[in-house]
Amino acid sequence: MLIDYHLHNHFSSDSESKTKKIAEKAVKLGINEICLTNHVETFPIGGGKESFSYEEASARFAKVKKDLEETQKEFTNLQIKFGIELEYVEEWMDEMNNFVNDTDFDFLIGSVHEVDGVNISNALLCDPLYSKTKEQYAYSKYFESMMKMVEWGNFSVVGHFDVFKKGGVRYYGPFEPEKYKNQIIPILELMRDKGIGIELNTSCIHRECKELFPHPTILKWCKEIGIEHYTLGSDGHKVGDIGQNFEQALQTLKNIGINTISTYSKRKPTKFQISEF
Ligand SMILES: [Zn+2]
Ligand SMILES: [Zn+2]
């Protein structure tokens, strides 16, 4: 049993063939289950502020779901799950609560991508913040937003827990989790109390910061604190990204003594022994 639970297909509502290509590639790699987790918000073509509305998201994700169901019919040896990557923006969260509760997702990733309106999850866009501020300011603000998102809590796992290091490594050097332990531990404790899991996001192992999200030290804290659920995701935006660096991520988990990965159906998690993968 092998899964990829963080995949983007930004054209999924309009293009069945692309979903089919993702599914074909997954089967080729021996992946048994994938979850499409497109962004809740929309990005204007040519730049500008992203936006979220209940109506737009409901209409778009209804199309995504139909596309996934159509693709599923062609694949008997691959489970295709209906997911989403949520974005924490304080003023959106009431409406997002309604949207999430009214849509029958299997799995939801909660992510923070912005600090002070700057996209810090993209190494090419983070400069306006990182060139002007100290690491302590940028990373602490990120964790403050993450804490608020976990307090909100209407999702399955936290995505790319320390994604800020992707571009941050160029400005501040390697990320040292110990410096933020007093912010990270309460977040993990609240995640445990709410049954929220954490994803192992492999998108940067071979580029930019060359590390897993989260840092192995944070995974150790997850185990000590008693986080129950771990998922595996490539954060693939291209078909070639699917399943990237999974062996290394699973090895890191095992080294820490975490032996299970979880899958989700209608938001209910099921654990699998990593040895079964
Ligand atoms: Zn993301
Ligand atoms: Zn993503």
mmCIF file of all heavy atoms in Angstrom, residues 216-245:
data_model
loop_
_atom_site.group_PDB
_atom_site.id
_atom_site.type_symbol
_atom_site.label_atom_id
_atom_site.label_comp_id
_atom_site.label_asym_id
_atom_site.label_seq_id
_atom_site.Cartn_x
_atom_site.Cartn_y
_atom_site.Cartn_z
ATOM 1 N N PRO A 216 12.996 16.535 10.358
ATOM 2 C CA PRO A 216 12.935 15.323 11.189
ATOM 3 C C PRO A 216 12.837 15.595 12.696
ATOM 4 O O PRO A 216 12.194 14.827 13.424
ATOM 5 C CB PRO A 216 14.241 14.600 10.849
ATOM 6 C CG PRO A 216 14.572 15.057 9.466
ATOM 7 C CD PRO A 216 14.082 16.471 9.358
ATOM 8 N N THR A 217 13.434 16.681 13.160
ATOM 9 C CA THR A 217 13.323 17.016 14.589
ATOM 10 C C THR A 217 11.855 17.264 14.969
ATOM 11 O O THR A 217 11.394 16.850 16.042
ATOM 12 C CB THR A 217 14.170 18.280 14.900
ATOM 13 O OG1 THR A 217 15.532 17.974 14.613
ATOM 14 C CG2 THR A 217 14.031 18.714 16.347
ATOM 15 N N ILE A 218 11.119 17.917 14.084
ATOM 16 C CA ILE A 218 9.693 18.170 14.357
ATOM 17 C C ILE A 218 8.921 16.848 14.333
ATOM 18 O O ILE A 218 8.024 16.630 15.152
ATOM 19 C CB ILE A 218 9.113 19.188 13.342
ATOM 20 C CG1 ILE A 218 9.854 20.534 13.488
ATOM 21 C CG2 ILE A 218 7.609 19.370 13.541
ATOM 22 C CD1 ILE A 218 9.460 21.591 12.457
ATOM 23 N N LEU A 219 9.305 15.956 13.429
ATOM 24 C CA LEU A 219 8.651 14.641 13.412
ATOM 25 C C LEU A 219 8.889 13.891 14.722
ATOM 26 O O LEU A 219 7.997 13.213 15.232
ATOM 27 C CB LEU A 219 9.180 13.799 12.246
ATOM 28 C CG LEU A 219 8.501 13.969 10.892
ATOM 29 C CD1 LEU A 219 9.155 13.040 9.872
ATOM 30 C CD2 LEU A 219 7.000 13.705 10.960
ATOM 31 N N LYS A 220 10.099 14.034 15.260
ATOM 32 C CA LYS A 220 10.392 13.410 16.558
ATOM 33 C C LYS A 220 9.464 13.956 17.634
ATOM 34 O O LYS A 220 8.929 13.221 18.464
ATOM 35 C CB LYS A 220 11.854 13.677 16.957
ATOM 36 C CG LYS A 220 12.793 12.562 16.598
ATOM 37 C CD LYS A 220 14.187 12.849 17.144
ATOM 38 C CE LYS A 220 15.193 12.557 16.046
ATOM 39 N NZ LYS A 220 16.421 13.311 16.098
ATOM 40 N N TRP A 221 9.281 15.279 17.621
ATOM 41 C CA TRP A 221 8.368 15.890 18.601
ATOM 42 C C TRP A 221 6.938 15.388 18.383
ATOM 43 O O TRP A 221 6.205 15.176 19.348
ATOM 44 C CB TRP A 221 8.426 17.420 18.492
ATOM 45 C CG TRP A 221 9.760 18.011 18.857
ATOM 46 C CD1 TRP A 221 10.727 17.427 19.627
ATOM 47 C CD2 TRP A 221 10.272 19.291 18.463
ATOM 48 N NE1 TRP A 221 11.813 18.268 19.729
ATOM 49 C CE2 TRP A 221 11.565 19.423 19.032
ATOM 50 C CE3 TRP A 221 9.780 20.348 17.694
ATOM 51 C CZ2 TRP A 221 12.352 20.559 18.860
ATOM 52 C CZ3 TRP A 221 10.560 21.474 17.517
ATOM 53 C CH2 TRP A 221 11.830 21.581 18.084
ATOM 54 N N CYS A 222 6.557 15.201 17.123
ATOM 55 C CA CYS A 222 5.209 14.672 16.819
ATOM 56 C C CYS A 222 5.017 13.321 17.505
ATOM 57 O O CYS A 222 3.966 13.052 18.097
ATOM 58 C CB CYS A 222 5.019 14.474 15.316
ATOM 59 S SG CYS A 222 4.850 15.990 14.376
ATOM 60 N N LYS A 223 6.035 12.473 17.395
ATOM 61 C CA LYS A 223 5.935 11.138 17.997
ATOM 62 C C LYS A 223 5.866 11.236 19.524
ATOM 63 O O LYS A 223 5.040 10.586 20.158
ATOM 64 C CB LYS A 223 7.132 10.282 17.572
ATOM 65 C CG LYS A 223 7.227 8.984 18.349
ATOM 66 C CD LYS A 223 7.840 7.877 17.564
ATOM 67 C CE LYS A 223 8.170 6.681 18.445
ATOM 68 N NZ LYS A 223 7.023 5.940 18.906
ATOM 69 N N GLU A 224 6.752 12.076 20.086
ATOM 70 C CA GLU A 224 6.783 12.209 21.549
ATOM 71 C C GLU A 224 5.446 12.724 22.090
ATOM 72 O O GLU A 224 4.964 12.286 23.130
ATOM 73 C CB GLU A 224 7.897 13.191 21.959
ATOM 74 C CG GLU A 224 9.295 12.596 21.848
ATOM 75 C CD GLU A 224 10.403 13.666 21.879
ATOM 76 O OE1 GLU A 224 10.121 14.821 22.283
ATOM 77 O OE2 GLU A 224 11.528 13.328 21.478
ATOM 78 N N ILE A 225 4.865 13.668 21.354
ATOM 79 C CA ILE A 225 3.626 14.307 21.800
ATOM 80 C C ILE A 225 2.416 13.416 21.557
ATOM 81 O O ILE A 225 1.417 13.511 22.264
ATOM 82 C CB ILE A 225 3.499 15.685 21.092
ATOM 83 C CG1 ILE A 225 4.418 16.676 21.817
ATOM 84 C CG2 ILE A 225 2.074 16.190 21.039
ATOM 85 C CD1 ILE A 225 4.634 17.975 21.080
ATOM 86 N N GLY A 226 2.518 12.514 20.566
ATOM 87 C CA GLY A 226 1.436 11.565 20.312
ATOM 88 C C GLY A 226 0.517 11.929 19.165
ATOM 89 O O GLY A 226 -0.669 11.613 19.194
ATOM 90 N N ILE A 227 1.068 12.586 18.137
ATOM 91 C CA ILE A 227 0.289 12.796 16.912
ATOM 92 C C ILE A 227 -0.002 11.411 16.323
ATOM 93 O O ILE A 227 0.897 10.569 16.226
ATOM 94 C CB ILE A 227 1.097 13.647 15.885
ATOM 95 C CG1 ILE A 227 1.399 15.035 16.444
ATOM 96 C CG2 ILE A 227 0.378 13.695 14.526
ATOM 97 C CD1 ILE A 227 0.336 16.066 16.328
ATOM 98 N N GLU A 228 -1.248 11.179 15.940
ATOM 99 C CA GLU A 228 -1.660 9.834 15.514
ATOM 100 C C GLU A 228 -1.481 9.571 14.024
ATOM 101 O O GLU A 228 -1.177 8.456 13.621
ATOM 102 C CB GLU A 228 -3.157 9.647 15.828
ATOM 103 C CG GLU A 228 -3.458 9.426 17.289
ATOM 104 C CD GLU A 228 -3.207 7.983 17.703
ATOM 105 O OE1 GLU A 228 -3.514 7.070 16.904
ATOM 106 O OE2 GLU A 228 -2.686 7.783 18.805
ATOM 107 N N HIS A 229 -1.735 10.606 13.201
ATOM 108 C CA HIS A 229 -1.847 10.335 11.759
ATOM 109 C C HIS A 229 -0.805 11.067 10.916
ATOM 110 O O HIS A 229 -0.586 12.267 11.087
ATOM 111 C CB HIS A 229 -3.251 10.686 11.270
ATOM 112 C CG HIS A 229 -4.300 9.847 11.931
ATOM 113 N ND1 HIS A 229 -4.441 8.508 11.659
ATOM 114 C CD2 HIS A 229 -5.212 10.143 12.898
ATOM 115 C CE1 HIS A 229 -5.410 8.014 12.414
ATOM 116 N NE2 HIS A 229 -5.889 8.984 13.176
ATOM 117 N N TYR A 230 -0.215 10.299 10.012
ATOM 118 C CA TYR A 230 0.823 10.802 9.102
ATOM 119 C C TYR A 230 0.409 10.452 7.675
ATOM 120 O O TYR A 230 0.003 9.318 7.406
ATOM 121 C CB TYR A 230 2.167 10.153 9.439
ATOM 122 C CG TYR A 230 2.611 10.456 10.857
ATOM 123 C CD1 TYR A 230 2.152 9.688 11.928
ATOM 124 C CD2 TYR A 230 3.433 11.552 11.134
ATOM 125 C CE1 TYR A 230 2.510 9.990 13.240
ATOM 126 C CE2 TYR A 230 3.800 11.849 12.439
ATOM 127 C CZ TYR A 230 3.341 11.069 13.486
ATOM 128 O OH TYR A 230 3.686 11.376 14.774
ATOM 129 N N THR A 231 0.501 11.438 6.769
ATOM 130 C CA THR A 231 0.236 11.132 5.354
ATOM 131 C C THR A 231 1.482 11.477 4.546
ATOM 132 O O THR A 231 2.406 12.138 5.037
ATOM 133 C CB THR A 231 -0.968 11.921 4.806
ATOM 134 O OG1 THR A 231 -0.710 13.330 4.905
ATOM 135 C CG2 THR A 231 -2.241 11.566 5.554
ATOM 136 N N LEU A 232 1.470 11.021 3.314
ATOM 137 C CA LEU A 232 2.627 11.177 2.437
ATOM 138 C C LEU A 232 2.166 11.899 1.180
ATOM 139 O O LEU A 232 1.176 11.488 0.569
ATOM 140 C CB LEU A 232 3.122 9.762 2.096
ATOM 141 C CG LEU A 232 4.438 9.563 1.386
ATOM 142 C CD1 LEU A 232 5.587 10.185 2.171
ATOM 143 C CD2 LEU A 232 4.682 8.073 1.190
ATOM 144 N N GLY A 233 2.853 13.000 0.823
ATOM 145 C CA GLY A 233 2.427 13.736 -0.366
ATOM 146 C C GLY A 233 3.594 14.348 -1.113
ATOM 147 O O GLY A 233 4.536 14.871 -0.517
ATOM 148 N N SER A 234 3.515 14.286 -2.439
ATOM 149 C CA SER A 234 4.590 14.857 -3.275
ATOM 150 C C SER A 234 4.375 16.338 -3.537
ATOM 151 O O SER A 234 5.283 17.019 -3.986
ATOM 152 C CB SER A 234 4.651 14.119 -4.610
ATOM 153 O OG SER A 234 3.462 14.346 -5.353
ATOM 154 N N ASP A 235 3.165 16.837 -3.274
ATOM 155 C CA ASP A 235 2.809 18.216 -3.643
ATOM 156 C C ASP A 235 3.067 18.413 -5.144
ATOM 157 O O ASP A 235 3.533 19.464 -5.579
ATOM 158 C CB ASP A 235 3.623 19.225 -2.820
ATOM 159 C CG ASP A 235 2.875 20.531 -2.589
ATOM 160 O OD1 ASP A 235 1.869 20.780 -3.285
ATOM 161 O OD2 ASP A 235 3.308 21.307 -1.719
ATOM 162 N N GLY A 236 2.748 17.380 -5.910
ATOM 163 C CA GLY A 236 3.040 17.396 -7.338
ATOM 164 C C GLY A 236 2.171 18.376 -8.103
ATOM 165 O O GLY A 236 0.958 18.360 -7.994
ATOM 166 N N HIS A 237 2.838 19.250 -8.841
ATOM 167 C CA HIS A 237 2.127 20.145 -9.751
ATOM 168 C C HIS A 237 2.311 19.684 -11.198
ATOM 169 O O HIS A 237 1.687 20.212 -12.100
ATOM 170 C CB HIS A 237 2.610 21.593 -9.589
ATOM 171 C CG HIS A 237 2.139 22.223 -8.301
ATOM 172 N ND1 HIS A 237 2.628 21.881 -7.077
ATOM 173 C CD2 HIS A 237 1.195 23.167 -8.071
ATOM 174 C CE1 HIS A 237 2.022 22.596 -6.139
ATOM 175 N NE2 HIS A 237 1.144 23.384 -6.717
ATOM 176 N N LYS A 238 3.225 18.726 -11.380
ATOM 177 C CA LYS A 238 3.440 18.132 -12.696
ATOM 178 C C LYS A 238 3.368 16.612 -12.541
ATOM 179 O O LYS A 238 3.672 16.083 -11.448
ATOM 180 C CB LYS A 238 4.841 18.496 -13.223
ATOM 181 C CG LYS A 238 5.061 19.989 -13.411
ATOM 182 C CD LYS A 238 6.317 20.262 -14.247
ATOM 183 C CE LYS A 238 7.578 19.864 -13.538
ATOM 184 N NZ LYS A 238 8.080 20.793 -12.514
ATOM 185 N N VAL A 239 3.025 15.932 -13.620
ATOM 186 C CA VAL A 239 2.905 14.475 -13.548
ATOM 187 C C VAL A 239 4.220 13.847 -13.078
ATOM 188 O O VAL A 239 4.232 12.896 -12.294
ATOM 189 C CB VAL A 239 2.461 13.907 -14.923
ATOM 190 C CG1 VAL A 239 2.552 12.392 -14.946
ATOM 191 C CG2 VAL A 239 1.029 14.350 -15.229
ATOM 192 N N GLY A 240 5.342 14.423 -13.502
ATOM 193 C CA GLY A 240 6.654 13.890 -13.133
ATOM 194 C C GLY A 240 6.981 14.001 -11.655
ATOM 195 O O GLY A 240 7.904 13.359 -11.161
ATOM 196 N N ASP A 241 6.222 14.820 -10.916
ATOM 197 C CA ASP A 241 6.494 14.995 -9.484
ATOM 198 C C ASP A 241 5.914 13.869 -8.614
ATOM 199 O O ASP A 241 6.308 13.698 -7.464
ATOM 200 C CB ASP A 241 5.856 16.301 -8.965
ATOM 201 C CG ASP A 241 6.480 17.551 -9.571
ATOM 202 O OD1 ASP A 241 7.639 17.477 -10.018
ATOM 203 O OD2 ASP A 241 5.792 18.598 -9.584
ATOM 204 N N ILE A 242 4.975 13.140 -9.162
ATOM 205 C CA ILE A 242 4.233 12.158 -8.360
ATOM 206 C C ILE A 242 5.194 11.158 -7.708
ATOM 207 O O ILE A 242 6.092 10.636 -8.361
ATOM 208 C CB ILE A 242 3.206 11.413 -9.236
ATOM 209 C CG1 ILE A 242 2.218 12.411 -9.845
ATOM 210 C CG2 ILE A 242 2.461 10.345 -8.441
ATOM 211 C CD1 ILE A 242 1.349 11.827 -10.935
ATOM 212 N N GLY A 243 4.996 10.932 -6.438
ATOM 213 C CA GLY A 243 5.792 9.923 -5.734
ATOM 214 C C GLY A 243 7.247 10.289 -5.500
ATOM 215 O O GLY A 243 8.034 9.459 -5.058
ATOM 216 N N GLN A 244 7.607 11.560 -5.705
ATOM 217 C CA GLN A 244 9.020 11.935 -5.609
ATOM 218 C C GLN A 244 9.572 11.768 -4.185
ATOM 219 O O GLN A 244 8.952 12.171 -3.217
ATOM 220 C CB GLN A 244 9.232 13.392 -6.076
ATOM 221 C CG GLN A 244 8.425 14.429 -5.301
ATOM 222 C CD GLN A 244 8.502 15.817 -5.925
ATOM 223 O OE1 GLN A 244 9.392 16.106 -6.710
ATOM 224 N NE2 GLN A 244 7.557 16.690 -5.569
ATOM 225 N N ASN A 245 10.707 11.118 -4.091
ATOM 226 C CA ASN A 245 11.454 10.966 -2.826
ATOM 227 C C ASN A 245 10.682 10.253 -1.707
ATOM 228 O O ASN A 245 10.936 10.471 -0.528
ATOM 229 C CB ASN A 245 11.912 12.338 -2.301
ATOM 230 C CG ASN A 245 12.651 13.136 -3.351
ATOM 231 O OD1 ASN A 245 13.650 12.679 -3.885
ATOM 232 N ND2 ASN A 245 12.143 14.318 -3.675
#
